[in-house]
Amino acid sequence: MSIDDRPTLGKPDDDPWLWLEEIEGPRAIDFVERQNRVTLDKFGGKAFERDRDTLAAIYDRPDNIPYVGRRGTHLHNLWKDAANPRGLWRRTTLAEFRKASPAWEIMLDIDQLAAREGEDWLLSSISSQPGQSRVILSLSRGGSDAVTLREFDVDTKSFVADGFTLPEAKGGVDRLDPDTLLLSSAYGEGMTTSSGYSRTVRLWRRGQPVDQAQLIFETTADHMMIYGSVDDTGARPRTWITDQIDFFNYAIWLRDEAGTTKKLDLPTGIWLQAHSEWFAIKLREAWSSEGRTYAADAVLGISLPAFMAGSRGFTLLFEPGPRRALQGFFWTAGKLVLSILDELRPRFEICTPSVTGWSRETLGGLPGIGVVDLWPLDRHPSESNGDVLANVQDPLTPPSLLLIERGVTSPTVLKQAPKTFTADGLVVTQHEAISIDGERIPYVQTGPATETGDAPVYMTAYGGFGLAVKPYYNASLGKLWLERGGTVVQANLRGGGEFGTRWHDAGRLAGKKLSHDDFAAVAADLVRRGVTTAKRIAAQGGSNGGILITNMLVRYPERFGALFCTIPLIDMRRYTKLLAGASWIAEYGDPDKAEEWEWLKTYSAYHNAKPGQSYPPILIATTRRDDRVHPGHARKMAAKLQAMGYEAWFYEPAAGGHGYGKDNKERAGFEVLGYQFLKDKIGWRDGEGCGLPS
């Protein structure tokens, strides 16, 4: 029997499945609905419902940590639970928040709003200005990135009649004054880049039609996006305009209150953070200035007025090492806080500028292992007194939310998350696999202290965009995998940011294939160490990790027993033409350039899948409201694999955005469906080998 395996590497544009890219097309929706029924009939039975409800109850627990940000004198929080699945926007005071059961003032009930207006609303973000009662809410339909903007009064707890309102589009605003917004939105004719983001920054005044808003800056359509932000930390009001050329390069402009705009004479490959009369940059590439060369990933600080006057007397604030890299930095009350990973261990340093130079100190009182995330309590830097929040956890220890007052005192515990699974007999260990080219690839293993040689292993990784993967406490994996006798493995692939730019670049563009080799090497190392066998390894990856998982399918099928691929990017021939795809060219390359397609085609699993192979079973899941990674990637890959006779399952809920659901129950259902599939296909019954009931 003849099998249609199009598209192929030889004919990459001969694609019979293009109709599945029509997100709401009747034929495509029929395909999705039929696939959903088949998948749910197989994996959505009583065990699925039991585990979904168990996990949803964990997500809905009243003693979960309510994460907060301070605006003025109040701490604000968006809270979801079973009674409020879309969420409550609420606020309290710091003194009240310290109590075991704080009293909350409800600002907006999103469920009531959605019911009243007949819309699938979720609250995406809040834009406010210090001292102002009016804010701009970004409302998302079903979790999409595109939002509707509406003005809301926090004093009256109501939307402002005839206030600022903008129909659905990607982008947002910052408030210049009570009656003027700095608008960076893709809404309007000619306002969108090829990536689907804003290509203009406009001044939008109260009562003015948005199409009459004053254009103050624009970029070209081939750039990723442009956006403006208001900065009131200086002696005079100012605005920063950032022209994001691609995912990793920026041109930065400073606009004063008179409307004069000046471009900063800096390399484009930087992160920049400014505060008051100072700013700091992190370099992506080595850079020479006034006879001095600074290494890639170095952090430099300088006086902003001096720099604008021509000085280049930078102070070196951070120097990277081979396995020591900056993860981020922020300003709070005139101090620059550096977040560092040193051999994957968290470290924090504080740099304070003055007219006599920069002083530095190490932030103490925090764990030197596990995961520690740090951020300012205040949402507006101009209001900050230096209070910092820290979130501390590891795979077996639930998060603690700590407050470091004024950035110098010993941390105090504000909230402690509940233990959501039994960790008795479990251990966390760190290992390294040797990849195909000899590079050492770290991974964290969590599971029973004693190896059986046949452990049911859940593997995951990301390996992209310079993002470091950290071993967080995971309630769903803990309850539904670890507690039942399984083992969880998280790999730190090249393409991530664990060891800085050199680690990222090694797994970027043509090197993306190496990132996938890294993951396969970890799978092989688990077998070599006697942890498990290949058929007992279940792997999951999402978004950029979707490329990873589908490459395990077509390149390393013998190393896995089952694969779960979520909200994935897969078709590397057409990805730039689908939704936000063009914004990722700096990570992957441009398939319209022949020389770059040469490497892209090596990891475009959609084109490399061919008949007659021993592929493991795979479940590919996406969401219809994902307006970042097009659902067509998942749909087309599932359809092609099925047409070639492979065991490929598909699932696509209607909402969720670039995530797993718009509420806790939907999110739980998405995850549990994947666990049920993986367990079934690696032949694992819950509790097998650990004395638990099945």
Side-chain angles (χ1 to χ4, degrees):
M1 182 179 67
S2 175
I3 293 179
D4 188 350
D5 62 349
R6 296 176 296 162
T8 63
L9 291 175
K11 295 183 177 180
D13 301 314
D14 183 9
D15 189 344
W17 306 107
L18 289 178
W19 54 274
L20 286 169
E21 294 179 3
E22 300 173 18
I23 295 176
E24 300 290 348
R27 187 182 176 195
I29 294 298
D30 179 66
F31 169 88
V32 169
E33 291 176 347
R34 286 187 289 107
Q35 295 283 334
N36 284 352
R37 284 195 297 271
V38 171
T39 300
L40 290 171
D41 284 348
K42 176 65 176 178
F43 304 105
K46 291 183 178 179
F48 162 82
E49 293 175 357
R50 176 200 66 202
D51 286 353
R52 179 202 60 199
D53 293 346
T54 295
L55 186 54
I58 289 174
Y59 292 156
D60 287 333
R61 286 182 62 136
D63 55 351
N64 286 331
I65 294 177
Y67 290 97
V68 294
R70 185 163 59 194
R71 291 181 169 90
T73 59
H74 287 90
L75 307 187
H76 291 251
N77 164 256
L78 181 62
W79 177 260
K80 294 182 179 182
D81 57 24
N84 308 280
R86 295 177 185 275
L88 293 173
W89 171 28
R90 57 189 191 171
R91 70 182 186 181
T92 191
T93 63
L94 179 57
E96 189 70 24
F97 187 72
R98 293 179 186 271
K99 299 178 182 178
S101 298
W104 294 92
E105 178 187 3
I106 306 302
M107 307 303 295
L108 182 64
D109 185 321
I110 313 303
D111 292 273
Q112 289 182 4
L113 176 68
R116 184 168 65 246
E117 300 188 350
E119 289 282 2
D120 193 16
W121 289 135
L122 296 174
L123 180 57
S124 178
S125 65
I126 302 167
S127 177
S128 60
Q129 184 187 39
Q132 298 295 322
S133 65
R134 292 182 173 184
V135 301
I136 302 294
L137 303 187
S138 296
L139 296 170
S140 162
R141 287 192 298 119
S144 63
D145 287 350
V147 294
T148 296
L149 304 179
R150 293 168 64 178
E151 192 172 21
F152 186 88
D153 192 306
V154 297
D155 289 341
T156 63
K157 300 177 186 176
S158 62
F159 289 101
V160 178
D162 300 321
F164 287 106
T165 302
L166 189 72
E168 186 177 64
K170 291 187 178 181
V173 297
D174 208 352
R175 193 181 284 272
L176 273 170
D177 59 51
D179 296 314
T180 311
L181 300 182
L182 192 66
L183 178 65
S184 309
S185 173
Y187 180 78
E189 185 177 353
M191 300 297 173
T192 307
T193 65
S194 58
S195 297
Y197 298 107
S198 174
R199 66 178 297 259
T200 66
V201 178
R202 293 170 275 178
L203 286 182
W204 188 16
R205 294 179 172 85
R206 186 176 300 281
Q208 183 181 52
V210 69
D211 59 3
Q212 296 178 18
Q214 178 188 351
L215 178 67
I216 63 170
F217 217 96
E218 65 180 316
T219 189
T220 54
D222 60 332
H223 283 197
M224 181 176 166
M225 71 173 81
I226 195 167
Y227 51 91
S229 57
V230 176
D231 180 358
D232 55 4
T233 64
R236 309 292 297 176
R238 62 196 182 200
T239 299
W240 295 91
I241 307 292
T242 303
D243 180 2
Q244 188 166 357
I245 302 164
D246 60 34
F247 217 91
F248 311 113
N249 287 278
Y250 310 81
I252 300 172
W253 304 72
L254 187 58
R255 186 177 190 268
D256 64 22
E257 59 183 333
T260 303
T261 305
K262 294 182 180 179
K263 184 178 181 181
L264 272 66
D265 180 22
L266 291 167
T268 59
I270 59 170
W271 300 344
L272 182 147
Q273 293 287 336
H275 184 88
S276 186
E277 305 305 307
W278 304 89
F279 75 91
I281 59 171
K282 180 257 186 186
L283 300 171
R284 179 172 171 76
E285 298 177 345
W287 180 53
S288 296
S289 177
E290 292 193 344
R292 186 173 181 184
T293 298
Y294 304 98
D297 292 342
V299 176
L300 313 178
I302 195 171
S303 157
L304 179 58
F307 178 86
M308 300 303 288
S311 170
R312 296 299 179 265
F314 289 98
T315 298
L316 180 63
L317 304 178
F318 172 80
E319 193 164 14
R323 293 170 82 87
R324 181 176 186 264
L326 186 82
Q327 300 301 302
F329 56 94
F330 61 86
W331 288 93
T332 177
K335 298 177 182 290
L336 182 70
V337 182
L338 307 179
S339 173
I340 300 161
L341 279 183
D342 190 342
E343 288 285 1
L344 301 179
R345 296 186 299 270
R347 299 286 185 269
F348 299 93
E349 295 180 2
I350 300 175
C351 301
T352 306
S354 70
V355 292
T356 59
W358 293 72
S359 64
R360 65 177 65 234
E361 58 186 311
T362 298
L363 183 60
L366 295 170
I369 58 174
V371 178
V372 182
D373 293 320
L374 212 65
W375 67 95
L377 173 60
D378 293 282
R379 293 298 175 91
H380 294 288
S382 63
E383 294 185 322
S384 177
N385 65 354
D387 289 353
V388 172
L389 294 175
N391 203 29
V392 177
Q393 60 194 294
D394 66 41
L396 299 179
T397 307
S400 295
L401 182 65
L402 312 180
L403 174 65
I404 308 173
E405 294 186 88
R406 302 188 183 278
V408 293
T409 60
S410 298
T412 58
V413 177
L414 287 177
K415 299 293 176 185
Q416 173 71 58
K419 293 182 178 180
T420 57
F421 62 91
T422 300
D424 297 346
L426 301 178
V427 295
V428 180
T429 54
Q430 292 184 306
H431 308 272
E432 288 184 338
I434 305 302
S435 193
I436 194 169
D437 61 347
E439 181 64 80
R440 296 180 293 140
I441 309 302
Y443 64 95
V444 174
Q445 178 179 324
T446 306
T450 303
E451 306 288 9
T452 64
D454 195 34
V457 172
Y458 172 98
M459 273 187 70
T460 189
Y462 186 73
F465 294 93
L467 298 177
V469 172
K470 300 175 184 178
Y472 289 101
Y473 186 84
N474 187 307
S476 63
L477 282 171
K479 187 67 177 179
L480 303 179
W481 203 278
L482 290 173
E483 188 179 273
R484 297 179 181 181
T487 295
V488 172
V489 170
Q490 181 177 282
N492 299 106
L493 313 182
R494 283 174 287 186
E498 289 85 349
F499 302 128
T501 298
R502 67 104 183 167
W503 193 253
H504 175 208
D505 282 350
R508 186 169 72 98
L509 302 174
K512 186 62 66 180
K513 192 175 178 181
L514 274 177
S515 179
H516 305 155
D517 294 327
D518 295 348
F519 193 69
V522 172
D525 199 58
L526 293 171
V527 176
R528 180 193 64 80
R529 289 178 43 236
V531 176
T532 190
T533 62
K535 291 300 182 183
R536 297 279 274 182
I537 299 178
Q540 177 177 352
S543 193
N544 170 77
I547 310 176
L548 168 69
I549 293 300
T550 51
N551 270 270
M552 296 305 99
L553 181 81
V554 301
R555 294 186 58 216
Y556 290 100
E558 73 284 355
R559 299 194 184 183
F560 300 90
L563 301 169
F564 183 30
C565 178
T566 62
I567 50 174
L569 186 65
I570 302 173
D571 178 359
M572 303 312 293
R573 182 66 171 179
R574 286 182 52 77
Y575 86 92
T576 58
K577 298 173 175 61
L578 301 174
L579 297 177
S583 66
W584 311 319
I585 288 175
E587 178 73 12
Y588 305 117
D590 187 346
D592 291 333
K593 295 179 179 178
E595 67 276 15
E596 297 185 15
W597 172 243
E598 284 302 306
W599 73 62
L600 279 161
K601 71 182 183 182
T602 68
Y603 56 85
S604 184
Y606 185 52
H607 295 85
N608 282 283
K610 55 188 178 182
Q613 308 302 303
S614 297
Y615 294 161
I618 186 170
L619 169 59
I620 306 174
T622 185
T623 75
R624 197 169 312 155
R625 287 295 296 169
D626 188 347
D627 56 352
R628 192 180 313 172
V629 179
H630 197 292
H633 286 277
R635 295 173 176 181
K636 295 197 303 177
M637 187 65 175
K640 177 179 177 178
L641 289 172
Q642 290 173 3
M644 292 190 294
Y646 291 113
E647 185 179 355
W649 303 78
F650 180 82
Y651 177 64
E652 180 188 297
H658 193 59
Y660 290 173
K662 68 175 181 287
D663 58 41
N664 289 338
K665 188 171 184 179
E666 285 188 5
R667 173 187 166 198
F670 194 106
E671 291 180 289
V672 169
L673 188 69
Y675 298 154
Q676 292 292 329
F677 167 80
L678 293 174
K679 289 177 178 181
D680 182 86
K681 296 307 172 184
I682 65 171
W684 180 38
R685 300 175 64 206
D686 285 347
E688 177 185 309
C690 67
L692 296 176
S694 60

